[in-house]
Amino acid sequence: MKDILTREWNKFLKDNELDSNLSTKIRFSWHLVGLFLNLLLTRWYLRKVDRRGRIILTKGCPAVQNKGSIVLGNVISIWSNISRTRLTTHRKGVLIIGNNNFINGAIISASTKITIGNNCKFGPFSMIIDSDFHNVKDHNLDGESGEIVIEDDVWIGAKATVLKGVRIGKGAVVAVGSVVTKDVPANAIVAGIPAKVIKDEK
C-alpha cells in the first residue's frame, strides 16, 4: 500500500505541477477519497469477474460478459472514455490478464483462451478475438478458434485486430489499424493488413 500511495503522490504532483505544501496535501487527500470510491465502483463493474487482483481502476463503465472464466492481475487500468472496453468469455472460454496493464476501449473476446502478460497497453477500438465464430462456407456451423498469447511489454495500437492462434512476442508493437494473423517476433514492430514486420529491434 505504501508503494501505491507513493506512486499516486508523485503522479499527483507531476500532473498538477504542484509543490508538496499543506494546500497540496489537502487536495491530495481528496484525490485519495476519489481513488477509494473508484476502487469500490470498479468492484461493482467487475462483479462478474472470477478473480480480481489488487488496485484495479476504471474510467467509465466496461462491459463484462463472462460465461467462462476471467482472471485479472494487479494494478490494471480499464478505461472506457473513447470507446467502451468489453471483456467477454464464451462457454469454456478463458481470459487471463496479467499485472500492470492498461486497457483503453479494447474488445477482448475469448472462446478458447486468451492470455495477456504484464505491462501491456491496448488502444481504443483494438480487438483481440480468438475465434472466427462462424464457418465461412456454412454460417450455421461454428468457426475455427485458437489460443492467443500476448507476452509482456506489448503495445497494441488503436483499431488493431489480433486474430485466432497468434502469439505476440515480448516487447512487440502492433501499429494502428493492423490485422495480425500470424505470430509476431519479440521486439518487432508490425503494421498492415495482414500485419508484417516493418522493424525488428533484436
Side-chain angles (χ1 to χ4, degrees), residues 7-24:
R7 186 194 72 174
E8 286 297 319
W9 172 248
N10 292 332
K11 185 174 182 296
F12 182 79
L13 291 178
K14 181 180 178 182
D15 290 348
N16 295 278
E17 298 181 354
L18 299 171
D19 298 321
S20 57
N21 54 37
L22 179 60
S23 174
T24 300

Side-chain angles (χ1 to χ4, degrees), residues 144-158:
E144 295 181 4
S145 60
E147 180 179 353
I148 292 174
V149 177
I150 298 175
E151 297 182 8
D152 297 346
D153 305 310
V154 170
W155 185 4
I156 308 292

Side-chain angles (χ1 to χ4, degrees), residues 106-109 122-133 148 150 155-164 166 168 174-182 184 190-196:
I107 297 172
I108 305 175
S109 175
F122 298 83
F125 302 104
S126 57
M127 292 194 296
I128 317 299
I129 302 174
D130 70 354
S131 172
D132 291 338
F133 294 111
I148 292 174
I150 298 175
W155 185 4
I156 308 292
K159 294 186 177 181
T161 301
V162 178
L163 297 178
K164 66 180 186 298
V166 165
I168 299 180
V174 178
V176 171
S178 301
V179 177
V180 182
T181 60
K182 297 180 180 179
V184 176
V190 298
I193 304 174
K196 297 180 181 179

